[in-house]
Amino acid sequence: MELQNGHYTLQGFDVGELVSRYQTPLYLYDTSVIQHQIGRLQKAFDVPELGIHFACKALNNIHILKLMKDWGIGLDTVSIQEIWIAKRAGFPPERILYTPNCVGTDEIEMAIQEGVQINVDHIETLEYIGHHHPGTKVGIRINPHVMAGGHEKLSVGHIDSKFGISIYQLPLVLRLVDALKLRVNGLHMHTGSDILDSGVFRLAAEILFDAARKFSDLEFIDFGSGIKVAYKADDVYTDVEELGQVLSESFNNFCREYGKPLKLYLEPGKFLVSEAGYFLVRTN
């Protein structure tokens, strides 16, 4: 937002005129900021195919989601309601990732019917899909047991976290995959939020690569997100360019060893939108 001749403007629009037209409270979003952040990720990662899936829990404004769709971005969803929002915004099922936590089989059934990519983070869910929907492609969310994040409440990849199937349960997962003829097409992880050190991402990635070597038909590896954004002018934040270089190098090395190029998925949320929004109100 810029101040020109005593008037605030946003992308050429007079903010005062927008307030007069739409009244307050009013949310405004600078879409050029979102596009800039998308561009930074696309330039930072040098991989055969990069799939950016916006974590819509960060902002589910239908108009923003429609723009994301038009820009070629996918969506990361965690509930059936978010899947429905994604479809209402025009996203095709193949561009919707669904990674729930502690949901019932009724919601899993609905997600399967919607045809989206499901990432399973519980053994019981994996068994259910294998028994009732053999042949369905599923991703598996691995808990790498890496402590990462701005503080303990933002860390979701440690040993006591409820998110993901423990890396120590991988032998059980492999037995289930073999016994139930499961089609595992991707591996997923998300270690936490507000991660500053790209080395933490690389450590967790190496754990994920080691697990990936045990699956022969993968199509993608999903690194989640956790990118730290600035909350104030002098705040620290993740060096996305360094992160892209570090992860791209290790990912490309793994793909060469694996024998085919996989897709690298990311699920940024705050990184794309947190600096784009303005909330306008009247005060007295």
Side-chain angles (χ1 to χ4, degrees):
M1 190 178 294
E2 298 179 350
L3 182 60
Q4 297 179 345
N5 301 321
H7 291 264
Y8 282 104
T9 63
L10 185 65
Q11 289 187 264
F13 290 94
D14 187 298
V15 172
E17 292 180 2
L18 293 175
V19 168
S20 298
R21 181 186 304 177
Y22 299 106
Q23 301 304 307
T24 59
L26 177 65
Y27 284 99
L28 296 179
Y29 296 99
D30 188 341
T31 55
S32 67
V33 172
I34 302 174
Q35 286 182 300
H36 173 72
Q37 295 295 81
I38 292 172
R40 286 184 64 194
L41 286 177
Q42 291 172 333
K43 292 178 181 177
F45 284 82
D46 181 17
V47 294
E49 186 172 349
L50 177 67
I52 300 174
H53 293 78
F54 172 57
C56 66
K57 66 178 72 65
L59 177 62
N60 61 10
N61 181 294
I62 191 73
H63 304 289
I64 297 298
L65 297 186
K66 287 179 178 179
L67 285 174
M68 295 280 193
K69 185 261 297 179
D70 292 342
W71 294 333
I73 302 302
L75 277 198
D76 159 49
T77 65
V78 298
S79 69
I80 193 65
Q81 289 81 10
E82 288 187 348
I83 291 175
W84 292 338
I85 291 172
K87 293 195 69 177
R88 189 172 178 181
F91 285 88
E94 61 269 18
R95 281 168 58 187
I96 302 173
L97 301 181
Y98 172 62
T99 311
N101 180 251
C102 297
V103 300
T105 55
D106 56 341
E107 183 162 321
I108 295 297
E109 285 285 346
M110 287 187 281
I112 290 174
Q113 294 305 314
E114 294 290 356
V116 300
Q117 171 67 53
I118 299 176
N119 292 320
V120 176
D121 76 341
H122 280 88
I123 292 290
E124 293 82 358
T125 306
L126 201 59
E127 290 178 309
Y128 178 85
I129 293 176
H131 282 299
H132 297 277
H133 297 278
T136 300
K137 287 184 177 182
V138 294
I140 295 179
R141 179 174 181 174
I142 298 292
N143 181 340
H145 297 321
V146 172
M147 190 72 176
H151 54 77
E152 63 180 15
K153 299 297 184 183
L154 296 179
S155 180
V156 295
H158 55 79
I159 195 167
D160 293 320
S161 173
K162 67 176 182 174
F163 297 98
I165 297 174
S166 168
I167 191 67
Y168 298 123
Q169 289 184 295
L170 190 58
L172 173 58
V173 170
L174 293 171
R175 288 198 297 272
L176 286 174
V177 168
D178 183 60
L180 300 175
K181 308 304 179 186
L182 288 160
R183 297 176 65 193
V184 178
N185 68 331
L187 292 186
H188 174 286
M189 73 170 185
H190 176 66
T191 53
S193 298
D194 286 0
I195 302 172
L196 284 171
D197 185 3
S198 60
V200 172
F201 281 99
R202 183 163 194 167
L203 171 62
E206 292 300 332
I207 294 173
L208 201 60
F209 294 150
D210 189 52
R213 293 182 179 95
K214 299 173 174 62
F215 297 89
S216 59
D217 297 313
L218 296 180
E219 299 171 6
F220 70 88
I221 293 183
D222 190 335
F223 292 100
S225 186
I227 299 171
K228 172 84 170 66
V229 298
Y231 293 106
K232 53 187 178 180
D234 58 346
D235 203 2
V236 293
Y237 52 88
T238 305
D239 186 333
V240 171
E241 287 69 30
E242 179 189 33
L243 172 64
Q245 181 180 0
V246 167
L247 275 186
S248 295
E249 180 182 359
S250 58
F251 180 78
N252 290 333
N253 287 338
F254 168 76
C255 287
R256 282 190 288 271
E257 177 191 336
Y258 192 72
K260 69 174 183 178
L262 303 182
K263 301 172 186 175
L264 189 156
Y265 285 172
L266 297 173
E267 300 172 350
K270 290 182 296 182
F271 175 76
L272 296 187
V273 299
S274 65
E275 296 177 276
Y278 297 89
F279 181 49
L280 306 182
V281 297
R282 295 183 185 275
T283 63
N284 58 29

